[in-house]
Structure formats: structure tokens, C-alpha cells
């Protein structure tokens, strides 16, 4: 099982609406992510990326197709252990960190809430220690942060708190849906580097979701190019950048003036 994918979808399909108004948002998507990989799902706005992410997270039922975590169907997992056990393993960071934070909660309270995913919470001292450790990993000043509220933080700090909150349950997989698209340009590289560092430091498997093929190339081993609900091309990042096969990939690349792994540093 260790050789198999940690997360895989097969024939994943989602239709919104019905009849004349049916919208095929995701159309028979297959993808498999191996443990420890960093992959990117790339496509323009409306191509179905977030819908794939929501199905991967078990937040939206597929119209057709399966999601498997370590070879086990999500429906089976849901029946057997409930979704909390899955969410301890697979966490997400979304594009709008303000929307994901409760304005009335301090950072400490927001972070401690993550332990609701455990059937038996660890003792308070351990919970606090893990919160501090997670805030430290994302490069925040721990003592300064704990009592702050969302409106007292910059966009970059808020997104770091959201990453820390995802880490506090010690997941194996992180899905990052446009994690820097609402962050000012000056903090973007730092946030991406923190996310990348998680693989090295924690052995995390990461899926980046982005409209930016440059960002995907910079961060990821393998790319999945999505267009109108379908994966039109996939492969090692270097191969795709050097020799794109699909017209849509070529178009995406034509929009990026220079592409090197150093461009963002
Ligand atoms: N909850 C929803 N109800 C109806 N249509 C939706 C819903 N969520 C997404 N869609 C539609 O599905 C398509 C894909 O959206 P989305 O997955 O958000 O794309 P992306 O994340 O790539 O921008 C779009 O046409 C969008 O309007
Ligand atoms: Mg989206």
C-alpha cells in the first residue's frame, strides 16, 4: 500500500443544476498523488479546480466517480470512521484567509478549535504546545500572535495562521486552493516557500491549485492541466514546460514571459 497513491480520483464528475441549465463543472477527472509528492492542478477561473478540491475533501458529493484515500473509498471511510478521521489526514488552505477565520476568535482559540477533529482531545498543555509549534513552523512570532484577532493581522499573517491551523492536526496531505491569490505580492513568495518547506520538514504531500502555471512550475513536481472540467495534460513539470502537448497548455505558457524556478525568489 505504501507504493500506491495517497490520494486518487477516478472518473470524478460533477454536474451543477439540471436539464437545460446543467453545468458539467468537472468531467471524468482521473488523478493520483503519491505520498510526498507536490503536484499542481492548473487551469483558468471556472475550469473546475475548486469543485475538484471540494470533492477531494469530501465537502461535495461527486455526481459520478470515486475519491480514494490510501486505497479506501471516501464513502467507505465516511461510514466506517466518519469524516473527522479523514480531515485529520487531509487538510486544506483556501484563497480567502479572512473568510475562513472567525472574526471574534483570537488566533489561539481558532487554532485550538482544530482539535475538535479528535475523538479524545490531547491534554491542554499538549494542545497549546502543538499550536505554538505550528505557528512557529509558518514563521510567526508565537507570543505576539496568540492573542491577536483576524482584523489585527495582515493578509499574509492571516494566511500563515490558516496554514498553521491546518498543520495543528498533523495531516499527511495539504490541499492549497489558490493560497496566495488574495495575498499582496510582497508576501506571496514567502507563503509559497513555507508551503514547500512543509514537504521537507514534515514529509507532507501537497496539492497546489492555481491559475498560474509559473507558480505551479516553481512549486511542483508534477502538473495536471485542467480545461473546461477536464484534465487535458499531465506529467512531470519539467517535461510539460519544455514540451507542452496540448494547445491549451501552450496557450497558458505563451502568457508567461519567462519561466524559471528562480523567477519568484
Ligand atoms: N455551488 C455551485 N453551484 C452551481 N455552480 C457551481 C457551484 N460551484 C461551482 N460552480 C460552477 O462550476 C464551474 C467550476 O467552478 P470552480 O470549480 O469554482 O472553478 P475554478 O475553481 O477553477 O475557478 C463554474 O462554471 C462554476 O460556476
Ligand atoms: Mg477556484
Amino acid at each position: 500500500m505504501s507504493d500506491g497513491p495517497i490520494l486518487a480520483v477516478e472518473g470524478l464528475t460533477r454536474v451543477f443544476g439540471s436539464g437545460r441549465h446543467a453545468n458539467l463543472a468537472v468531467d471524468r477527472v482521473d488523478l493520483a498523488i503519491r505520498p510526498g509528492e507536490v503536484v499542481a492542478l492548473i487551469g483558468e477561473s471556472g475550469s473546475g479546480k475548486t469543485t475538484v478540491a471540494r470533492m477531494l475533501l469530501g465537502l461535495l458529493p461527486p455526481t459520478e466517480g470515486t475519491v480514494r484515500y490510501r486505497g479506501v473509498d471516501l464513502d467507505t471511510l465516511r461510514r466506517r470512521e466518519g469524516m473527522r478521521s479523514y480531515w485529520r489526514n487531509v487538510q486544506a488552505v483556501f484563497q480567502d484567509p479572512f473568510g475562513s477565520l472567525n472574526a471574534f476568535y483570537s488566533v489561539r482559540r481558532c487554532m485550538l478549535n482544530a482539535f475538535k477533529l479528535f475523538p479524545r482531545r490531547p491534554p491542554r498543555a499538549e494542545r497549546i504546545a502543538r499550536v505554538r509549534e505550528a505557528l512557529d513552523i509558518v514563521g510567526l512570532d508565537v507570543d505576539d500572535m496568540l492573542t491577536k484577532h483576524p482584523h489585527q493581522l495582515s493578509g499574509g499573517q492571516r494566511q500563515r495562521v490558516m496554514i498553521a491551523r491546518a498543520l495543528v492536526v498533523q495531516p499527511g496531505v495539504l490541499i492549497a486552493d489558490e493560497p496566495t491569490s488574495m495575498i499582496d505580492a510582497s508576501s506571496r513568495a514567502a507563503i509559497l516557500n513555507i508551503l514547500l518547506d512543509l514537504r521537507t520538514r514534515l514529509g507532507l504531500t501537497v496539492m497546489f491549485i492555481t491559475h498560474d502555471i509559473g507558480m505551479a512550475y516553481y512549486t511542483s513536481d508534477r502538473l495536471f492541466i485542467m480545461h473546461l472540467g477536464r484534465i487535458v495534460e499531465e506529467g512531470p513539470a519539467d517535461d510539460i514546460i519544455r514540451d507542452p502537448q496540448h494547445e491549451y497548455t501552450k496557450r497558458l505558457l505563451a502568457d508567461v514571459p519567462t519561466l524559471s524556478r528562480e523567477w519568484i525568489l
Side-chain angles (χ1 to χ4, degrees):
M1 191 165 80
S2 59
D3 293 342
I6 188 161
L7 207 53
V9 307
E10 240 179 70
L12 199 67
T13 298
R14 176 69 203 203
V15 180
F16 289 111
S18 60
R20 267 193 317 124
H21 302 288
N23 174 6
L24 183 56
V26 174
D27 184 9
R28 287 163 291 164
V29 162
D30 297 330
L31 53 88
I33 310 168
R34 293 185 287 269
E37 261 194 314
V38 176
V39 304
L41 181 63
I42 305 142
E44 64 203 335
S45 175
S47 58
K49 306 180 298 297
T50 296
T51 305
V52 168
R54 290 176 63 209
M55 291 191 283
L56 272 174
L57 288 160
L59 300 172
L60 180 78
T63 307
E64 271 176 67
T66 53
V67 178
R68 286 200 182 86
Y69 173 70
R70 294 186 182 279
V72 185
D73 193 285
L74 222 53
D75 291 328
T76 309
L77 277 181
R78 193 190 298 269
R79 269 197 312 276
R80 220 189 267 165
E81 319 173 39
M83 287 308 279
R84 287 180 181 194
S85 129
Y86 180 63
W87 292 327
R88 289 197 297 276
N89 293 296
V90 181
Q91 278 282 313
V93 175
F94 293 101
Q95 91 181 68
D96 173 14
F98 219 5
S100 321
L101 281 167
N102 186 323
F104 299 105
Y105 285 7
S106 66
V107 167
R108 182 199 339 250
R109 185 160 171 204
C110 160
M111 300 268 301
L112 285 171
N113 264 338
F115 287 99
K116 287 185 173 162
L117 291 179
F118 291 84
R120 277 188 310 277
R121 286 181 310 175
R124 182 163 173 92
E126 187 189 327
R127 279 182 277 145
I128 297 278
R130 275 166 65 172
V131 164
R132 297 184 68 94
E133 186 189 12
L135 288 170
D136 186 56
I137 286 174
V138 300
L140 289 169
D141 177 344
V142 179
D143 290 310
D144 183 48
M145 255 321 118
L146 286 170
T147 55
K148 288 259 164 65
H149 285 70
H151 66 272
Q152 295 170 299
L153 307 176
S154 70
Q157 286 173 323
R158 281 198 290 266
Q159 194 58 299
R160 285 176 198 233
V161 169
M162 292 318 296
I163 298 166
R165 191 183 191 276
L167 294 180
V168 109
V169 301
Q170 302 177 333
V173 181
L174 187 69
I175 296 175
D177 189 355
E178 310 261 16
T180 59
S181 65
M182 289 178 73
I183 308 288
D184 49 299
S186 60
S187 314
R188 256 178 224 161
I191 301 264
L192 286 182
N193 285 326
I194 287 165
L195 287 165
L196 280 180
D197 217 27
L198 299 177
R199 164 167 56 180
T200 328
R201 289 178 67 164
L202 307 173
L204 222 62
T205 306
V206 183
M207 179 180 205
F208 281 105
I209 296 181
T210 179
H211 61 275
D212 180 347
I213 196 164
M215 186 274 229
Y217 178 56
Y218 168 67
T219 53
S220 303
D221 309 323
R222 221 146 50 86
L223 311 183
F224 296 90
I225 313 285
M226 192 164 183
H227 182 50
L228 302 174
R230 302 221 61 182
I231 303 287
V232 294
E233 183 164 0
E234 70 170 275
D238 288 318
D239 295 358
I240 289 191
I241 301 304
R242 202 178 322 116
D243 187 21
Q245 299 297 311
H246 197 278
E247 282 312 310
Y248 179 67
T249 316
K250 291 179 189 169
R251 246 201 292 147
L252 284 179
L253 282 167
D255 292 340
V256 186
T258 51
L259 208 54
S260 87
R261 287 197 188 257
E262 280 69 53
W263 71 278
I264 203 165
L265 292 173

